[in-house]
Amino acid sequence: MVSKRIQKALLGNSAIRAMFVEGKAMAEKYGAENVYDFSLGNPATPAPAALNDSIRDLLDEADKKGAAGSLELHGYMENAGYKDVRETIAANLNKRFGTAFDDHNIVMTVGAAGGLNIIFKTVLDPGDEVIVFAPFFGEYRQYAANFDSEIVTVNPDLKTFLPDLNDFEAKITEKTKALIVNTPNNPTGVIYKPETMEAIASILEKKQKEFGHDIYLVSDEPYRELVYDGNKEDFLTKYYKNTIVGYSFSKSLSLPGERIGYVVVPNEASDAEELIRGIEISNRTLGFVNAPSLIQKAVARCLDEKTDVSFYDENRTMLYDGLTELGFTCIKPEGAFYLWVKSPVDNEEEFVEEGKKLHLLMVKGSAFGCGGFVRLAYCVSHETVKNSLPAFEKLAQVYGLK
Amino acid sequence: MVSKRIQKALLGNSAIRAMFVEGKAMAEKYGAENVYDFSLGNPATPAPAALNDSIRDLLDEADKKGAAGSLELHGYMENAGYKDVRETIAANLNKRFGTAFDDHNIVMTVGAAGGLNIIFKTVLDPGDEVIVFAPFFGEYRQYAANFDSEIVTVNPDLKTFLPDLNDFEAKITEKTKALIVNTPNNPTGVIYKPETMEAIASILEKKQKEFGHDIYLVSDEPYRELVYDGNKEDFLTKYYKNTIVGYSFSKSLSLPGERIGYVVVPNEASDAEELIRGIEISNRTLGFVNAPSLIQKAVARCLDEKTDVSFYDENRTMLYDGLTELGFTCIKPEGAFYLWVKSPVDNEEEFVEEGKKLHLLMVKGSAFGCGGFVRLAYCVSHETVKNSLPAFEKLAQVYGLK
């Protein structure tokens, strides 16, 4: 007899994960080369060679030290993570973004998903509201629900897919405790430029004063390094004091299975010391305890490494140009590895089903709180993109697009 | 402004972790060799050499396969973990314990702490009660509270430190959804023999019928392999159908920092398929997503490996004999790496403070829901145990024990 929460979850499980499983089944049936699976945000470029080499070095160095080396490499450390790892990450952020962090501002986490959950556990009381900008990564809803909080959705500008800031201002209430910002964005690929961030910050400042309590900007940053067309990597703590960052190495180093990331709490956040200690405690009491040890030390040696962004850029151009040419309306991605495509019919689930008939796997926009669109994850091989275009052409014909 | 839950947690943080930090500070001040830190259950024996070798092999095999190898080794897999890893673990359990699991009975987890949390998320509704046998690992209280449930404590028999089964039966109510069993036990080192497990199972069966709903036995098994004096490793699913196992490799392979373990749901549990799917969903939605990928594959190659149990056994004998000789009353540990010692004064916090003056770090029993006792974690070097005995002698003199 499972809990009521899980009974409900069993009925409406992740659309993305369901598609992932369906895609595997189709690949077995028709051959992987005949299925164009754009469903899952699973990196398609290998980790930089430096990652495996760093792991090897760490093992060799530990073995040389004998028992002490093994205990240090695979043993418990502070719940916040190894001090030297946190120092290295702080110094790297300071070098790249002109910040002034030290090790105590950093808590190593089990990926960004683990990071967001321990942030939420630390700041949310039951009944609090978390604002998200639609379309958004659907798991945010679960993460807020884990702490008896609800998400409140802000509408997008349907031309730019930036948030409608009037709607944002109107949706902030006495109960608002946090806003999640995800730039470069999943699922649209849109980047929030400095003017957007400044406008968001100014609304938050005003509302903090109006309601007399803190509202945290929680920055979910797995795609920070995946930017195109000369766009710059950005770090959001400079726009707004009450910013808490949740970062993941999953995409930048192509190791999503390893579950490694970190949280940054800047000193200028209100009650920064309590926040940091609360996040450390939450890391322990939610059952993460600490980020995996060996991989903590390995990523600390690869902070200036990056997976091959040009690989995704090539897919981006091929898919965006190809689909636009076929008559589809697409938002041009500036970062991440997703293409956000308008469904030719209002009910995009119908469009998704038509796509499946042609072995095209897309995820419905309603999974991101924004119906009428679909998401294509172009973290696939160049061949998959190239070979999918004739199928998309047939799909365009079904809807008389050209 | 942190949440009310965290405000409370900040006031009463983990006694064990606080002692860990205090121990480090004392070691810096007085020299590590002059501090006898028995506070933390951090393994003292290195991981078997096969572990690092398996990691090296996995890296070499992946590098040979190029990009696909890296994506397979460090990428996403099903939320339950790699299928081949789960198959290997199922086969290994079947070989050792005569069970009949396959891959679908196993969900790989971020340690046992992650495992217990996803089990609880799957079975607990707000207001449910979870029974624990005192003394118990204090974090169980937090894990239940994460899902708005409370623990209900059953008294021990103060001679054997087995649970008082009359008290157990009396404490089961309409609200009871689960019982946690932890054998070999932290903090007492006691093992629940078959007759105890059969008696517990029989009470659970009776109460399930009486209340007309499932009561799960959640077996927390990080110490399964750490048994002494010819005691046998046991696997609890054979005693009671509604048993869910949470295992960790932290102690058996000495890699607590890596956060790797698994959950087992046997087919004979009620609604087994829903339980398994619920646990997979909880793994994702609580933010674990999946157990760390590389280390999943590494432990699957080390299932017949074990850290050096004789090392702990030597400490156990030296500390138990030494303290008993000095007039302390100790429970003789049959497993795990803890010694449970009666405080010579009712208020064991006073005893802990006296110990600190002699650089002896012990954890108060009230941290385990059982005042009047202290826990000594003897996962330390032989030298630490040996050199601590003169300090314990002084401590015995303070209380006129001999």
Side-chain angles (χ1 to χ4, degrees), chain B residues 182-186 189-191 220 223-227 334-336:
Chain B
N182 172 221
T183 173
N185 185 261
N186 173 13
V190 165
I191 291 177
D220 178 24
Y223 305 101
R224 191 207 289 149
E225 285 82 6
L226 271 61
V227 295
E334 303 169 294

Side-chain angles (χ1 to χ4, degrees), chain A residues 133-155:
Chain A
F133 294 148
F136 60 91
F137 180 49
E139 302 284 291
Y140 294 157
R141 191 186 302 276
Q142 314 299 332
Y143 300 166
N146 286 337
F147 309 100
D148 305 310
S149 295
E150 287 200 359
I151 59 164
V152 171
T153 306
V154 168
N155 298 323

Side-chain angles (χ1 to χ4, degrees), chain A residues 1-7 9-10 13-14 17 20 24 40-47 51-53 55-56 59-60 62-63 67 70-71 73-79 110 113-114 117 121-126 139 142-143 146-148 177 213-214 216 250-251 254-259 270-271 274-275 277-278 281-282 284-295, chain B residues 1-7 9-10 13-14 17 20 24 40-47 51-53 55-56 59-60 62-63 67 70-71 73-79 110 113-114 117 121-126 139 142-143 146-148 177 213-214 216 250-251 254-259 270-271 274-275 277-278 281-282 284-295:
Chain A
M1 192 185 43
V2 300
S3 69
K4 293 189 181 67
R5 282 184 275 223
I6 290 297
Q7 282 170 32
L10 284 169
N13 203 356
S14 163
R17 283 279 169 173
F20 174 63
K24 280 199 158 184
L40 194 70
N42 203 359
T45 54
L51 180 79
N52 285 0
D53 289 342
I55 297 174
R56 284 187 186 94
L59 296 172
D60 291 348
D63 282 355
S70 173
L71 295 171
L73 189 61
H74 302 298
Y76 285 129
M77 78 298 303
E78 290 171 63
N79 295 133
V110 173
N117 273 284
K121 185 173 172 70
T122 304
V123 303
L124 296 180
D125 281 304
E139 302 284 291
Q142 314 299 332
Y143 300 166
N146 286 337
F147 309 100
D148 305 310
K177 187 64 78 60
H213 64 70
D214 296 310
Y216 292 101
S250 293
K251 274 72 180 186
S254 278
L255 35 66
E258 301 293 357
R259 314 310 306 140
S270 325
D271 307 317
E274 284 193 354
L275 278 176
R277 285 196 55 220
I281 290 175
S282 300
R284 198 189 78 229
T285 57
L286 265 183
F288 298 104
V289 184
N290 55 252
S293 52
L294 167 61
I295 207 80
Chain B
M1 191 184 46
V2 299
S3 68
K4 291 190 183 65
R5 281 184 275 222
I6 290 297
Q7 281 171 33
L10 284 169
N13 203 358
S14 163
R17 283 280 170 175
F20 175 63
K24 279 197 159 187
L40 194 70
N42 203 359
T45 54
L51 180 80
N52 285 0
D53 288 343
I55 296 174
R56 284 186 186 94
L59 295 172
D60 292 348
D63 282 355
S70 173
L71 295 170
L73 190 60
H74 302 300
Y76 283 130
M77 78 301 302
E78 291 171 63
N79 295 132
V110 173
N117 273 282
K121 186 174 171 71
T122 303
V123 304
L124 295 180
D125 281 305
E139 301 284 291
Q142 316 297 332
Y143 300 166
N146 287 336
F147 310 100
D148 305 310
K177 188 66 77 59
H213 63 71
D214 296 310
Y216 293 101
S250 292
K251 274 70 180 189
S254 278
L255 36 64
E258 302 294 357
R259 313 311 305 139
S270 325
D271 307 318
E274 285 194 353
L275 277 177
R277 286 197 53 221
I281 290 176
S282 299
R284 199 188 77 230
T285 57
L286 264 184
F288 299 103
V289 185
N290 54 252
S293 51
L294 167 60
I295 206 81

